[in-house]
Amino acid sequence: MSELEQNDHRRIGQELDLFVFSDLVGPGLPMWTPKGTVVRQELDNFVQELRAPHGYERVTIPHITKRDLYNTSGHWEKFAEDLFRINSREGKEYALKPMNCPHHTQIFARKPHSYREMPQCYAETTMVYRDEQSGELGGLTRVLSITQDDAHVFCRTNQIKEEFLKIWDIVDKFYSTFGFILRVRLSFRDPETPEKYLGTKEIWDHAESALREIAEERRADFIEGAGEAALYGPKLDFMASNAAGREWQVATIQLDMNMPDRFDLTCINEQGEKERIVMIHSAITGSIERCTAVLLEHFEGKLPLWLSPVQVKVLPIGEAHFEYAQKVLKDLKVDNIRAEVDESNESLGKKIANFKKEKVPYALVIGDKEVAEDKVTLESRSGDKLGQMSVEDLTSKLKREIKERK
Ligand SMILES: [Zn+2]
């Protein structure tokens, strides 16, 4: 196998038992196993933890909508080919959501907002559905069901810069945790095909120069990409690269002055007048599917402790040690450490080989000595022998490592 195939997320994902495709469900529709769901949840928890101090609040929307919403947003017309459509028994037209923003506008629009309440920041991790051609589907990088850690900031024009910089900080923190270097692309419209986008030239010029100003102020390593914009506005697209020289497109922050116009979104300003607001769309992981693929390839399956579905494998040498192994397992679970016991009849050598193959970060070896002294012997998947310690010392070491997301 070539190095690339060795390191393909589809192969690693299968070996680690994270997700599965079924012919009955169809291509491009991954289903996540219990272990894969742990990885998704941990990634999302991290994003929400980074967002929380910046005033983001969670919202929840249904996965379908009447056609009317997308007539107003412009998706029915401009996004037609990618839209999954549904007809109700009464002949009403619905669609599966290809993005969450139109729904979120309706949450913002539920009541008038004073300038004092701005910005309003809504976050929701949820699936969107896009009708890609089956020839384009493969692994987690091209899917029909995409989980976005989506967020929409509804803010005043004079808050754009501050809100963008906050999200940029979150992106930086998230990716530096994994050891990535980030580059940014200013994704602008293609001036040759203005009919592909929503909104006037004036609105676009304004939005694009605002993004350029933010990138310059941040002294970012950026390039400009014509024709890479979203339907409704220009974007900052982040590219993450690793030490091995591989690069992936990851997070995105998008400035949108069109959707607020189409849905007539305003706040009440200091003069008591209605003032048009703007929207900022952002996804830190990009999508959880893509992010998982990137991380599996970047780490060659050796996920960091905090992200590993199984963090510790308990390896009793023989049957005489099973009971103590179960007690250790119970202690680890009390401290929310994800652990399993290998109670197979294999030799210790085979058990050690197996835990390394499963890419579990740590193993605890338990034999006569450990049972007698009420201890465990710790070994890492990279082969480091970390010696004997009490379960108490072990859990505090692991908890620290998890908390710091080492
Ligand atoms: Zn959006």
Side-chain angles (χ1 to χ4, degrees):
M1 251 190 290
S2 74
E3 198 182 323
L4 197 70
E5 284 168 343
Q6 276 285 358
N7 206 1
D8 188 306
H9 75 270
R10 286 170 289 192
R11 191 188 60 77
I12 302 170
Q14 196 176 24
E15 277 182 14
L16 300 188
D17 189 26
L18 300 181
F19 50 86
V20 62
F21 291 91
S22 149
D23 284 341
L24 292 176
V25 178
L29 295 166
M31 286 164 289
W32 295 78
T33 63
K35 284 180 181 169
T37 302
V38 170
V39 174
R40 289 167 60 91
Q41 198 59 54
E42 288 291 347
L43 285 173
D44 189 41
N45 289 348
F46 187 23
V47 171
Q48 302 314 326
E49 198 179 299
L50 293 170
R51 275 199 179 124
H54 298 296
Y56 284 79
E57 297 176 293
R58 309 295 286 272
V59 293
T60 308
I61 59 172
H63 289 218
I64 66 171
T65 171
K66 270 165 60 185
R67 170 182 179 155
D68 307 48
L69 183 71
Y70 297 147
N71 283 342
T72 304
S73 71
H75 287 95
W76 200 272
E77 184 198 347
K78 301 264 182 183
F79 216 70
E81 284 184 0
D82 297 327
L83 215 55
F84 280 112
R85 298 171 187 211
I86 307 165
N87 284 310
S88 78
R89 70 170 98 184
E90 287 165 356
K92 288 206 185 89
E93 285 183 289
Y94 287 82
L96 270 171
K97 63 185 166 85
M99 43 186 69
N100 306 306
C101 358
H103 281 87
H104 285 184
T105 66
Q106 298 309 292
I107 300 178
F108 177 81
R110 74 192 182 282
K111 59 171 188 176
H113 295 276
S114 151
Y115 69 93
R116 290 188 205 88
E117 299 169 310
M118 301 295 284
Q120 291 280 310
C121 310
Y122 301 152
E124 180 173 11
T125 300
T126 177
M127 276 191 196
V128 297
Y129 307 88
R130 294 180 190 171
D131 190 3
E132 310 260 359
Q133 284 170 4
S134 53
E136 301 166 351
L137 304 173
L140 291 180
T141 47
R142 298 289 275 180
V143 286
L144 304 178
S145 54
I146 308 155
T147 314
Q148 293 179 331
D149 61 297
D150 210 358
H152 295 103
V153 173
F154 298 84
C155 69
R156 304 177 78 182
T157 311
N158 63 11
Q159 294 170 322
I160 294 174
K161 191 184 282 180
E162 193 187 341
E163 293 304 316
F164 252 80
L165 291 174
K166 278 183 198 169
I167 304 168
W168 199 323
D169 280 343
I170 295 172
V171 172
D172 269 350
K173 277 192 194 139
F174 185 82
Y175 288 96
S176 63
T177 300
F178 301 108
F180 288 114
I181 306 291
L182 286 181
R183 226 160 45 93
V184 68
R185 179 181 69 207
L186 307 191
S187 298
F188 289 167
R189 94 212 105 143
D190 181 355
E192 307 293 316
T193 54
E195 72 282 359
K196 274 170 57 185
Y197 306 94
L198 297 172
T200 63
K201 182 175 183 300
E202 287 68 34
I203 285 184
W204 274 86
D205 286 344
H206 191 82
E208 288 180 355
S209 61
L211 290 203
R212 194 178 290 116
E213 203 179 299
I214 289 164
E216 278 166 1
E217 189 178 304
R218 181 106 183 179
R219 297 211 180 89
D221 173 14
F222 71 87
I223 53 161
E224 292 190 14
E228 304 282 352
L231 176 65
Y232 42 75
K235 309 184 279 180
L236 293 183
D237 286 319
F238 292 86
M239 259 73 72
S241 58
N242 71 1
R246 293 195 62 189
E247 188 174 69
W248 298 270
Q249 189 172 326
V250 287
T252 178
I253 317 176
Q254 313 181 352
L255 179 56
D256 179 359
M257 297 174 167
N258 283 305
M259 204 90 68
D261 224 27
R262 298 177 79 96
F263 286 103
D264 192 23
L265 304 181
T266 58
C267 70
I268 309 297
N269 68 15
E270 291 87 338
Q271 285 75 45
E273 298 157 348
K274 281 186 177 177
E275 178 183 298
R276 173 72 65 235
I277 59 150
V278 303
M279 277 173 80
I280 301 169
H281 312 246
S282 68
I284 308 303
T285 65
S287 80
I288 288 187
E289 286 76 13
R290 170 172 279 273
C291 187
T292 304
V294 168
L295 293 175
L296 288 179
E297 293 184 6
H298 169 59
F299 288 114
E300 299 177 7
K302 295 186 192 106
L303 296 174
L305 182 68
W306 67 272
L307 202 49
S308 291
V310 181
Q311 296 169 314
V312 176
K313 200 94 177 187
V314 184
L315 310 180
I317 295 175
E319 238 173 276
H321 315 114
F322 283 5
E323 195 185 329
Y324 181 71
Q326 288 295 341
K327 178 188 160 295
V328 170
L329 179 74
K330 217 168 128 196
D331 290 347
L332 292 171
K333 289 196 167 165
V334 166
D335 277 308
N336 289 321
I337 291 163
R338 298 185 288 265
E340 285 177 356
V341 180
D342 182 346
E343 287 191 342
S344 66
N345 293 323
E346 303 288 355
S347 67
L348 180 63
K350 186 78 191 349
K351 286 182 180 180
I352 287 180
N354 282 344
F355 105 84
K356 287 182 180 170
K357 202 168 148 230
E358 290 166 26
K359 301 187 166 65
V360 174
Y362 292 111
L364 304 178
V365 177
I366 290 171
D368 290 342
K369 198 160 172 266
E370 285 78 11
V371 175
E373 296 176 15
D374 195 12
K375 289 200 167 154
V376 294
T377 297
L378 184 63
E379 183 167 338
S380 79
R381 69 185 156 200
S382 51
D384 295 331
K385 314 260 186 236
L386 300 160
Q388 261 194 18
M389 59 187 79
S390 67
V391 175
E392 212 178 355
D393 287 348
L394 170 75
T395 51
S396 59
K397 170 190 156 61
L398 297 179
K399 276 159 76 179
R400 195 168 52 242
E401 205 175 308
I402 290 166
K403 187 157 176 264
E404 291 168 4
R405 290 201 168 85
K406 272 194 177 162

